[in-house]
Amino acid sequence: MGKWAIPSALILLCLLSLLFDQDRKVQANAKEGSADAPKIEDNTGAVPHGSQTDSDVVKRESESISPRSLRNNAEKFEFQAEVSRLMDIIVNSLYSNKEIFLRELISNASDALDKIRFLSLTDKEVLGEGDTTKLEIQIKLDKEKKILSLRDRGIGMTKEDLINNLGTIAKSGTSAFVEKMQSSGDLNLIGQFGVGFYSVYLVADYVEVISKHNDDKQYVWESKADGAFAISEDTWNESLGRGTEIRLHLRNEAQEYLEESNLKELVKKYSEFINFPIYIWASKEVDVEVPADEDDSGDEKETADSTSSEEGEYEDADKADDEDAEKKPKTKTVKETTYEWELLNDVKAIWLRSPKDVTEEEYIKFYHSLAKDFNDEKPMAWSHFTAEGDVEFKAVLYVPPKAPYNLYDSYYKAKSNLKLYVRRVFISDEFDELLPKFLSFLKGIVDSDTLPLNVSREMLQAHSSLKTIKKKLIRKALDMIRKFAEEDPDESSGKDKKEAEKSGDDDEKKGQYTKFWNEFGKSIKLGIIEDASNRNRLAKLLRFESTKSDGKLTSLDKYISRMKSGQKEIFYITGTSKEQLEESPFLERLKKMNYEVIFFTDPVDEYLMQYLMDYEGKQFQNVSKEGLKIGKDRKNKELKESFKELTKWWKGAITTDKVDEVKISNRLDNTPCVVVTSKFGWSATMERIMQAQTLSDARKQSYMKGKRILEINPRHPIIKELRERVVKDSKDEGVKQTAQLIYQTALMESGFPLPDPKEFASRIYSSVQSSLNISPDATVEEEEDVEEAETESETKTGSSTPKGKAEPDKDEL
């Protein structure tokens, strides 16, 4: 027992010391964590710990989004920026739709190709040999693996470039990036990897970038945007020679981008005019002759044997046919799917060339491609120009051959038909600030290399640039339309017209501006209303008919050239049709004195003339309003004095109507009188237009109606006779009724609606009655047989039912 006691005691002491050390470590750990450990009272009322999510859980969940993982042997790097904020910016702030990613990748590929092409100007060896010399972009799909690949043979990236260029946002810091984006600073990041590149994570959960630079080995950059990326030397992929290939492992909700048709449409939409060819590995079905299957030939042989056994008389002939068939191999036609590279951007960006080098056929072809209008009709006119200055850009504008059927149905909601490009990359066609509404019918493109854009390329950052572009586009558009009008032989006059008629080359241009005016003339009028700064330029483009235009359109310049000496005003009249206006009493004396009067028959003309007050120093005068001055009427004072009693009496006789004055007229020749309005009030045509409005308010309109003035013709026999009657007996009721009837007739003839049509009709009937010498006391005869007819009908109805027999009950029926 003694010899075992000492070893046992030693073992026991060792165990006790181990337990003591363990307890001391536990207490030390508890002290270290006491500062961070929550107290019981701190968690009172808080969310249970089981519902909290720690960083490890977040990391595991983000890694489980994609079954793919970074390669173990790759060199790992951590993003400096917070990826959660980064992705929030990209998904929620920068891009309005996911399809933008393809535009960004193609733009980056084009930039890489531009760089290698620039280097090749001084060193041709940088292009290499074979396929690497082809500066192109290739798109390929792998539906089984759900991979979309885009490859370019550009300058490529070294390992250092992959670290720096693909981390533009991370390198700058997300916080600083957000502050810069929210400020008014210039974010001209086009062509840089980083922001544009990160749009791939809108559709992909794992991205590989394989790149080969002439000065380095081929490397693979990969990331899942989970806070880290990895770079490793590429020893397993095919050598690129030079350039970059980006492989997108698409999310389940982005499988639509594995369809060839969708990708073709996106390339056509955003990158159609990229300088370098863009190819897609496209599939197509072809008919192929293949040998027939042995099973099929066996079945045919059995059929032939059974047939020959049934028809013994033809046995020798069948054997001969079988021998011939065995000599010729049997084939069949089947559908086979083949793949080949298909070019997607065959339309060239003609705006980059000099206008002298572009043919008319090329302009027409480009218009059809741009407007998606493949009819035979060519555009009416086009303008190709380059603007220089604060903002440099190139543009091509077209006037379509026809106006859209709904051009003016939703005028203020219509979008511009201009497409904005930056370095031949489509940005947007929804920039309403580039052209005003009245020029929204124009189609074309604007391309700028210096235009500052925000990071998404979808909204302009510098509004001053927009205003500059808009101003230049308007001026060029109006110059284009003006030249288009000048080239039309019908718009020429005098010697120019005779020379144009002799020239056979101008036959095609003859009548073209009239066609333009019939299609888009209302837009020019709306421009005069909306654009005060270009009102005079637009006024030169106005066209209308007049009393001297012989049924053709004329301009204000031609009108002024035909004005009589001493004429200081441009005369016009508004109405519903030319035929109606030609017979208007307002034109009688003007036509007699050989004055030209413009016909405005479009409803918008009433609004137009409220803004177009003068042209080339000449004021406009509506001949249906007061203030018309024709020549020098020296006898007016004498006439006014001789008709003073009549005008004063007449004003009192029509007090029920809103007549402000009765005066002698200087515009009438054959008509007894007319009703005109005050200079700044509504004309008769404007009153009808306003009353036809759906939400018109009669009470509010009463304030805008001009004061009515009855102008009488002192030379007319009716007016002379009326004056004599008034002088004899001003209280004669018959004379008063006649004056009322004359006023209402003049009111109607002047284009105003009658306030009381029933009263007017009664006066007409009374006048007719008087002319037929019918007594005013004569009445309408009553129908004497009405009561008898009703009595007879009741008697017949009663006798139709036999006596003693009641009508059948409903139940019996």
Side-chain angles (χ1 to χ4, degrees):
M1 291 293 292
K3 66 178 180 180
W4 293 104
I6 295 174
S8 299
L10 291 173
I11 292 172
L12 181 60
L13 288 172
C14 291
L15 290 173
L16 289 173
S17 64
L18 288 172
L19 289 172
F20 178 80
D21 291 338
Q22 185 69 24
D23 183 59
R24 186 170 54 186
K25 290 180 181 179
V26 171
Q27 290 178 3
N29 291 335
K31 289 179 181 180
E32 291 175 1
S34 61
D36 299 329
K39 298 180 181 180
I40 296 176
E41 58 267 26
D42 292 340
N43 272 339
T44 303
V47 179
H49 182 76
S51 63
Q52 296 178 356
T53 305
D54 57 20
S55 59
D56 292 333
V57 174
V58 172
K59 187 176 181 180
R60 289 196 301 271
E61 288 180 352
S62 62
E63 290 177 351
S64 65
I65 293 175
S66 172
R68 310 166 186 89
S69 59
L70 303 183
R71 293 175 176 83
N72 295 328
N73 59 346
E75 188 177 354
K76 307 295 192 303
F77 297 87
E78 292 291 331
F79 286 118
Q80 296 176 7
E82 301 174 20
V83 177
S84 59
R85 295 188 65 192
L86 169 64
M87 296 308 296
D88 180 66
I89 292 171
I90 291 175
V91 176
N92 299 320
S93 301
L94 299 186
Y95 299 104
S96 58
N97 50 30
K98 295 181 179 180
E99 65 188 27
I100 301 297
F101 82 94
L102 188 61
R103 180 188 73 183
E104 297 294 329
L105 293 183
I106 292 177
S107 177
N108 288 334
S110 176
D111 291 338
L113 290 166
D114 270 328
K115 290 176 182 178
I116 194 65
R117 182 172 62 177
F118 178 76
L119 292 176
S120 67
L121 296 178
T122 56
D123 184 7
K124 293 184 179 180
E125 293 182 0
V126 298
L127 292 179
E129 299 178 353
D131 290 340
T132 57
T133 59
K134 298 178 181 178
L135 302 182
E136 60 189 15
I137 302 170
Q138 297 177 342
I139 301 173
K140 206 168 186 178
L141 302 172
D142 189 337
K143 292 185 178 181
E144 293 183 1
K145 297 180 180 179
K146 301 178 182 179
I147 297 176
L148 169 61
S149 302
L150 187 141
R151 176 180 177 180
D152 67 75
R153 291 192 172 93
I155 193 170
M157 289 179 282
T158 62
K159 180 180 179 180
E160 185 178 355
D161 292 335
L162 287 171
I163 297 172
N164 295 330
N165 292 351
L166 299 190
T168 299
I169 297 178
K171 185 174 64 176
S172 63
T174 305
S175 300
F177 172 76
V178 174
E179 291 174 4
K180 192 175 182 182
M181 186 183 70
Q182 293 175 347
S183 68
S184 59
D186 181 16
L187 292 180
N188 192 11
L189 298 179
I190 284 189
Q192 297 184 24
F193 273 86
V195 177
F197 169 76
Y198 269 82
S199 63
V200 297
Y201 290 104
L202 295 170
V203 296
D205 53 15
Y206 175 67
V207 177
E208 295 177 275
V209 178
I210 307 165
S211 191
K212 174 66 173 70
H213 191 279
N214 286 338
D215 299 336
D216 206 345
K217 300 177 182 179
Q218 183 165 311
Y219 287 92
V220 176
W221 180 100
E222 52 185 333
S223 175
K224 297 194 296 182
D226 56 355
F229 63 90
I231 296 179
S232 56
E233 183 180 346
D234 188 4
T235 57
W236 56 91
N237 286 310
E238 176 188 358
S239 176
L240 298 179
R242 187 195 66 253
T244 301
E245 179 177 347
I246 300 176
R247 295 176 181 174
L248 309 183
H249 298 257
L250 299 180
R251 301 174 183 270
N252 292 330
E253 62 270 20
Q255 300 302 305
E256 59 188 286
Y257 300 112
L258 288 174
E259 297 295 331
E260 288 180 18
S261 58
N262 291 341
L263 293 177
K264 290 178 181 179
E265 184 178 347
L266 292 180
V267 172
K268 291 281 186 182
K269 179 179 180 180
Y270 291 109
S271 308
E272 186 175 14
F273 301 110
I274 289 291
N275 261 352
F276 303 97
I278 303 173
Y279 294 94
I280 188 171
W281 190 244
S283 62
K284 67 175 183 179
E285 289 189 346
V286 295
D287 293 333
V288 179
E289 293 286 337
V290 298
D293 296 338
E294 295 181 359
D295 296 339
D296 296 339
S297 61
D299 294 340
E300 292 177 3
K301 186 176 181 180
E302 291 178 1
T303 305
D305 292 341
S306 60
T307 304
S308 61
S309 62
E310 292 176 357
E311 301 178 2
E313 57 190 69
Y314 298 106
E315 186 175 353
D316 295 336
D318 290 339
K319 287 181 179 180
D321 293 339
D322 291 339
E323 290 177 358
D324 294 337
E326 289 177 359
K327 293 178 182 178
K328 296 179 180 179
K330 295 182 180 180
T331 61
K332 62 179 180 179
T333 303
V334 296
K335 295 286 186 181
E336 187 175 298
T337 302
T338 61
Y339 290 86
E340 61 182 16
W341 291 109
E342 179 182 339
L343 181 64
L344 298 181
N345 57 335
D346 55 343
V347 180
K348 301 301 179 183
I350 63 171
W351 65 83
L352 300 177
R353 297 156 56 187
S354 171
K356 297 179 182 179
D357 300 333
V358 185
T359 64
E360 180 178 335
E361 290 74 16
E362 288 177 312
Y363 278 120
I364 296 173
K365 181 182 178 182
F366 181 75
Y367 167 77
H368 288 154
S369 173
L370 181 72
K372 301 298 185 285
D373 179 9
F374 299 100
N375 295 324
D376 295 334
E377 291 185 278
K378 67 178 184 179
M380 292 188 189
W382 55 81
S383 177
H384 180 188
F385 59 92
T386 300
E388 298 178 350
D390 297 337
V391 180
E392 297 181 359
F393 65 91
K394 297 177 176 64
V396 180
L397 301 177
Y398 288 95
V399 178
K402 288 184 179 180
Y405 71 94
N406 60 345
L407 177 61
Y408 303 109
D409 293 345
S410 55
Y411 173 75
Y412 291 102
K413 295 181 180 179
K415 294 182 179 180
S416 173
N417 287 310
L418 276 190
K419 294 185 177 182
L420 178 64
Y421 287 78
V422 172
R423 299 174 65 183
R424 298 168 302 284
V425 177
F426 174 69
I427 303 303
S428 178
D429 56 0
E430 297 180 359
F431 280 111
D432 294 335
E433 295 84 358
L434 288 178
L435 275 181
K437 291 294 183 185
F438 69 89
L439 290 177
S440 62
F441 65 89
L442 296 177
K443 297 181 183 293
I445 66 97
V446 177
D447 187 5
S448 174
D449 288 346
T450 60
L451 190 66
L453 297 175
N454 75 350
V455 71
S456 68
R457 310 186 190 199
E458 293 178 290
M459 294 176 61
L460 282 170
Q461 188 75 18
H463 295 287
S464 59
S465 300
L466 263 183
K467 293 178 181 178
T468 303
I469 293 176
K470 181 178 181 179
K471 186 177 180 180
K472 292 182 179 180
L473 286 176
I474 293 174
R475 188 175 70 251
K476 288 293 185 179
L478 297 183
D479 287 345
M480 171 182 64
I481 299 173
R482 177 183 56 80
K483 292 178 182 178
F484 177 52
E486 292 174 354
E487 292 173 356
D488 188 345
D490 288 346
E491 296 290 318
S492 305
S493 59
K495 296 180 180 179
D496 295 336
K497 188 172 183 179
K498 291 180 181 179
E499 292 177 1
E501 289 175 353
K502 291 179 182 179
S503 176
D505 298 335
D506 293 335
D507 291 342
E508 188 178 353
K509 298 179 180 178
K510 190 174 183 179
Q512 285 298 303
Y513 192 75
T514 300
K515 181 183 176 183
F516 165 83
W517 185 256
N518 293 334
E519 294 288 338
F520 305 106
K522 188 173 291 186
S523 294
I524 302 299
K525 295 177 181 179
L526 290 169
I528 294 175
I529 295 172
E530 298 171 2
D531 192 350
S533 60
N534 291 291
R535 189 162 290 157
N536 194 57
R537 288 184 178 182
L538 288 162
K540 289 183 178 293
L541 303 176
L542 273 178
R543 295 296 182 269
F544 42 79
E545 291 187 64
S546 70
T547 53
K548 292 186 178 181
S549 64
D550 298 327
K552 295 182 180 180
L553 295 179
T554 188
S555 65
L556 288 173
D557 289 330
K558 289 183 180 180
Y559 179 96
I560 291 176
S561 67
R562 294 192 292 259
M563 287 176 64
K564 294 182 63 176
S565 60
Q567 182 181 346
K568 298 180 180 180
E569 296 175 317
I570 300 173
F571 300 131
Y572 74 92
I573 187 172
T574 61
T576 55
S577 67
K578 175 191 172 186
E579 292 72 22
Q580 176 200 6
L581 295 178
E582 285 177 331
E583 302 299 327
S584 173
F586 296 106
L587 304 183
E588 290 177 352
R589 195 157 180 231
L590 289 165
K591 290 166 72 175
K592 187 176 182 179
M593 298 179 68
N594 199 30
Y595 283 100
E596 184 175 6
V597 182
I598 296 171
F599 296 139
F600 283 131
T601 57
D602 195 337
V604 77
D605 292 334
E606 282 286 350
Y607 301 93
L608 167 70
M609 299 314 297
Q610 294 178 19
Y611 292 87
L612 189 62
M613 307 301 293
D614 61 87
Y615 179 77
E616 299 294 340
K618 306 290 184 181
Q619 297 290 323
F620 285 91
Q621 173 63 49
N622 190 335
V623 299
S624 67
K625 290 186 176 183
E626 68 170 342
L628 179 66
K629 297 177 183 179
I630 307 175
K632 298 180 180 180
D633 293 333
R634 297 176 181 176
K635 297 182 180 180
N636 274 354
K637 292 183 179 180
E638 298 176 3
L639 287 172
K640 284 180 181 179
E641 195 64 30
S642 62
F643 280 86
K644 185 176 182 179
E645 186 176 355
L646 174 62
T647 55
K648 185 177 180 181
W649 172 86
W650 207 335
K651 186 174 184 289
I654 50 178
T655 53
T656 55
D657 293 282
K658 296 179 180 179
V659 177
D660 187 60
E661 187 181 0
V662 180
K663 57 189 287 188
I664 302 299
S665 177
N666 65 342
R667 71 187 84 205
L668 296 177
D669 185 44
N670 299 321
T671 303
C673 56
V674 290
V675 178
V676 300
T677 57
S678 57
K679 191 172 184 65
F680 300 103
W682 284 349
S683 66
T685 306
M686 191 63 178
E687 278 193 30
R688 290 197 305 271
I689 292 172
M690 297 308 296
Q691 288 176 357
Q693 301 297 319
T694 306
L695 302 177
S696 62
D697 189 339
R699 291 176 297 178
K700 293 181 180 179
Q701 290 179 3
S702 61
Y703 296 103
M704 294 301 298
K705 292 180 179 178
K707 294 180 179 180
R708 294 174 182 176
I709 301 170
L710 177 63
E711 291 190 359
I712 59 176
N713 185 357
R715 296 175 295 277
H716 200 281
I718 293 179
I719 303 301
K720 288 182 177 181
E721 181 64 26
L722 192 62
R723 181 185 62 172
E724 294 177 2
R725 296 281 182 97
V726 170
V727 171
K728 289 181 181 179
D729 186 3
S730 62
K731 295 182 181 180
D732 187 349
E733 192 64 29
V735 176
K736 188 175 181 180
Q737 291 291 331
T738 302
Q740 286 275 14
L741 181 60
I742 293 174
Y743 166 72
Q744 289 180 332
T745 305
L747 194 68
M748 185 173 61
E749 189 178 20
S750 301
F752 293 95
L754 293 173
D756 190 352
K758 179 66 177 177
E759 182 185 2
F760 174 73
S762 298
R763 288 199 175 100
I764 290 292
Y765 293 143
S766 297
S767 178
V768 172
Q769 202 171 12
S770 176
S771 65
L772 296 176
N773 297 323
I774 300 174
S775 173
D777 299 328
T779 58
V780 180
E781 294 182 2
E782 295 183 0
E783 294 186 47
E784 298 178 357
D785 299 331
V786 173
E787 294 182 359
E788 296 179 2
E790 290 179 355
T791 306
E792 289 178 2
S793 62
E794 289 176 359
T795 304
K796 290 180 180 179
T797 303
S799 61
S800 62
T801 304
K803 294 181 179 180
K805 186 173 181 181
E807 293 183 2
D809 190 67
K810 293 181 180 180
D811 294 336
E812 293 180 2
L813 294 173

